[in-house]
Amino acid sequence: MKRTPIAQLFANSQQLGGTTVTVCGWVRSIRDMKNFGFVILNDGSCFNDVQVVMNRETLANYDDIAAQNTGASLKVTGELKLTPDAKQPFEIAAQSIEVLGASSPDYPLQKKRATTEFLRTIQHIRPRTNLFRAVFRIRSVAAMAIHEFFQSRGFVYVNTPIITTNDAEGAGEMFRVTTLDMTNPPLNEDGTIDWSRDFFGKPASLTVSGQLNAENFAMAFGDVYTFGPTFRAEDSNTKRHAAEFWMVEPEMAFADLNDDMDLAQAMLQSVITTVLEQCADELNMLNRFVDKGLLERLRHVATSDFARVTYTDAIAILEQAVADDHKFEYPVKWGVDLQTEHERYLTEQHFGKPTFVTDYPAGIKAFYMRLNDDGKTVAAVDCLVPGIGEIIGGSQREERLEVLERRIDELGMDKEQYRYYLDLRRYGTVEHAGFGLGFERLVMYLTGVDNIRDVLPHPRTVGHAEF
Amino acid sequence: MKRTPIAQLFANSQQLGGTTVTVCGWVRSIRDMKNFGFVILNDGSCFNDVQVVMNRETLANYDDIAAQNTGASLKVTGELKLTPDAKQPFEIAAQSIEVLGASSPDYPLQKKRATTEFLRTIQHIRPRTNLFRAVFRIRSVAAMAIHEFFQSRGFVYVNTPIITTNDAEGAGEMFRVTTLDMTNPPLNEDGTIDWSRDFFGKPASLTVSGQLNAENFAMAFGDVYTFGPTFRAEDSNTKRHAAEFWMVEPEMAFADLNDDMDLAQAMLQSVITTVLEQCADELNMLNRFVDKGLLERLRHVATSDFARVTYTDAIAILEQAVADDHKFEYPVKWGVDLQTEHERYLTEQHFGKPTFVTDYPAGIKAFYMRLNDDGKTVAAVDCLVPGIGEIIGGSQREERLEVLERRIDELGMDKEQYRYYLDLRRYGTVEHAGFGLGFERLVMYLTGVDNIRDVLPHPRTVGHAEF
């Protein structure tokens, strides 16, 4: 089917003025003025619609087209007429219009604005709305910008496995993966499940992070990154949590926590800059209808340094806020983890920009983070951004075999489970660091959309895995 | 840690000649000639090693370095000396060498060549071998080339869900995903599992394809693609099947089967061209040690048209081969699916190049493929490549509501399960087509590696999900 994407008409309208073009797309609205009419058509190739003008005198099937419902698909051939005085730079004067697929009056997207809650019940149709066409194009552009950022710096993309038999990290929150008949599973003599008869010969789960695997590859390639789905079986129903989400996890050999922060800031700024350049129409709409401060915030963050503060100093800032009568729901005290309200206070009110908090107490962070010389904090970093809270969590990894083994012992973990991980410290261990970026949180930040369910094509949350 | 990646030394050796550089990397070998010695170092930033020359007179810790084991990590500072007459364009005359992390004599990669079977037991270390550094860099470059191909053509990247409650396609071969206690699952009164108490409120599985979801987005954006993991719980132990693998699934609105084949050929040629350009060192090694015809084949395929033949004509070709005394294990007959031996005969012996086979009997293809006018074949296409067999499977989708409904009824499938999918045919249906590329099979084709276990970072197959 010979057609020109509408994006190309907008890109080349000056050259195409006066020529005959064919476009295909879906009807967003039709206005019948009796002797002439307007069809607003979109084909998804760009955010903009094209206006098709039809004339009863010259269009044989005028009445048929005028009677079409919103959502119908049409093939339109006509002259591209430049309209320098109008809002849109051109329109198409229809010579012929063919109905490819009709729609019906019960088409769920009618002119009146639908709520995002309602749109979640028609996830197969919602990408056709302005909101979701903006969100999902920005998601795609941001994903590509991430790949470009890392590849241009020589990072190797590694597809770490989704199914894992290492369920030590985050045990209770993992999804089991099985082919056993759950009604009648094979049992051992003691009544427990005989996992040796499951597909992988042992219990398997969905990964919560590719980091430990990525480290294997960082020790060969130096700089690597993952970008793939990860899973949490958390029974939490918040705007910021989904059971299935995408993570970006770079891992760098010969790098410390400062290198890690430099990388995180450069990556976020690079993605923001790309989206500002490539998604101007989408951002303008979002800035107008979803989040009035969006453009200003993104432009600011793209060019200014992020704040850096230690956990210990951050606690002091929060304690001062409490002393100054700021009310937090959760107590502030050295040694306890920061709550979202604390994170948002720091990044939104105190620093007013993205903020790295570093060097958390060892007790509230993962076993693999490098112990600082003070013996009580670890080289961890969280990146907090206004409106969202934590968007990145990273650390310098413990590269010293004996320190790591001691830590695993202290936590009562099974050293045999980490044999391979410890091997990396036995054979040419090096200083290394990395982080995990929650990709959906980044898309929320880029779009101003405040619910993770609206930045995932088909979100999976407690009780929900439709479509 | 200020260091220069070895890739940058090779890229800029002329400018860096005579200057002092610092590199970090892992020891591949050390030769101690008593008064001077050679350290071969690799940092993973490129395929090439760098040769470090050390002199007992000027290097205080000469003996310590000379005694290091293979696999140790070093930091070397020294003068980059151009060596125009030697095999390598430069070497580094060490001024200082620091041991970052020692290795040990039991380091599993010793000089003698290890089998790929053995290397699969040390997947955390194998990326440090020449073979796997080549394979996994090519994998990364190919992945990026795929993103670039689609993004440069305006395709929107869609992350279709991994967890699905739609288990109709390929029922028996899916992995169950659950948070129920399998030892003691909640039961209904009739003794069946009470899935309403599972995480998603109903039975959930790992996806076998993002296609049906991708179609939702093609009806909004026109051209979209997925690139993510998919799963098969098949109990098959072949060199070409893994339980977890990555798929690329483009979907185009306003497109038919010919557009689909044009896209597939252009994509494969674009990826091959990029890998030829960016991975010359890796391909040369593979061409020498793994597959002697690799480079010639890739260069040929990058520029020549693929063959196109209908299933019906392909059967005639195969029947002629049988008549000419060619022996196949499986019978050749119109109506039965092609076996790998048939596919390979067509692409390797008959056509001698990648081959599209189209228009298969409806009975052996999926319900959503568009029924041809003959009423017995569907607009399906498989792309076969020499050495591998099927690498791509695609089709034009059935866009006619009544034909699709009839087909679902004929197959005794549950129409309610496909309500959303049918909606796309109710509201502005359009001609559309897409395909699925098995990414690992492409990497096998690009590298000459003949076992899928050796192109996956950590392969998952029956009985195996280690690391």
Side-chain angles (χ1 to χ4, degrees), chain A residues 26 44 71 73 102 124 128 139-140 157 159 161-163 165 176 178 199 216 220 244 423 427-429 458 460 463 465, chain B residues 26 44 71 73 102 124 128 139-140 157 159 161-163 165 176 178 199 216 220 244 423 427-429 458 460 463 465:
Chain A
W26 292 272
S73 49
H124 59 314
R128 306 184 192 187
R139 184 180 169 111
S140 171
Y157 180 39
N159 296 130
I162 308 303
I163 296 173
T165 52
R176 173 69 62 225
T178 183
F199 191 89
N216 296 338
E244 174 181 325
D423 270 357
Y427 305 121
T429 191
H458 293 298
R460 272 72 180 103
Chain B
W26 292 272
S73 49
H124 58 315
R128 305 183 192 188
R139 184 181 169 111
S140 171
Y157 180 39
N159 297 129
I162 308 303
I163 296 173
T165 53
R176 173 69 64 223
T178 184
F199 191 90
N216 296 336
E244 174 181 327
D423 269 358
Y427 305 121
T429 191
H458 293 298
R460 272 73 182 102

Side-chain angles (χ1 to χ4, degrees), chain A residues 178-182 185-186 193-195 197-199, chain B residues 176 182:
Chain A
T178 183
T179 53
L180 293 179
D181 174 1
M182 289 180 57
I193 304 274
D194 179 4
W195 293 112
R197 293 176 56 192
D198 205 351
F199 191 89
Chain B
R176 173 69 64 223
M182 287 179 59

Side-chain angles (χ1 to χ4, degrees), chain B residues 174-194:
Chain B
M174 296 176 85
F175 287 102
R176 173 69 64 223
V177 173
T178 184
T179 54
L180 294 179
D181 174 2
M182 287 179 59
T183 320
N184 188 20
L187 299 178
N188 296 312
E189 283 184 14
D190 64 0
T192 56
I193 304 273
D194 180 3

Side-chain angles (χ1 to χ4, degrees), chain B residues 244-350:
Chain B
E244 174 181 327
F245 56 98
W246 283 61
M247 280 242 282
V248 179
E249 297 183 280
E251 190 73 33
M252 296 180 287
F254 315 112
D256 62 17
L257 198 66
N258 281 317
D259 298 318
D260 212 26
M261 287 187 275
D262 292 345
L263 184 78
Q265 178 178 323
M267 179 198 69
L268 289 173
Q269 292 184 326
S270 167
V271 174
I272 291 170
T273 302
T274 301
V275 170
L276 281 167
E277 282 167 12
Q278 295 186 17
C279 301
D281 293 326
E282 286 81 357
L283 288 175
N284 283 331
M285 187 281 291
L286 293 166
N287 193 61
R288 219 173 130 198
F289 294 110
V290 174
D291 176 354
K292 298 225 181 291
L294 179 66
L295 272 175
E296 191 190 323
R297 192 173 66 231
L298 293 179
R299 286 190 191 123
H300 177 68
V301 170
T303 52
S304 51
D305 269 345
F306 295 11
R308 298 188 184 193
V309 63
T310 64
Y311 167 89
T312 301
D313 289 346
I315 290 292
I317 290 167
L318 294 168
E319 283 174 340
Q320 185 59 52
V322 171
D324 294 345
D325 258 2
H326 189 91
K327 300 278 177 252
F328 291 117
E329 192 183 338
Y330 293 89
V332 173
K333 202 179 105 186
W334 200 98
V336 300
D337 209 357
L338 299 181
Q339 299 294 323
T340 301
E341 59 174 344
H342 306 139
E343 295 175 342
R344 294 187 61 167
Y345 178 85
L346 290 167
T347 183
E348 291 168 17
Q349 297 189 247
H350 187 82

Side-chain angles (χ1 to χ4, degrees), chain B residues 196-212:
Chain B
S196 73
R197 293 174 57 191
D198 205 351
F199 191 90
F200 296 107
K202 52 179 111 166
S205 312
L206 292 179
T207 187
V208 297
S209 162
Q211 178 202 320
L212 303 199

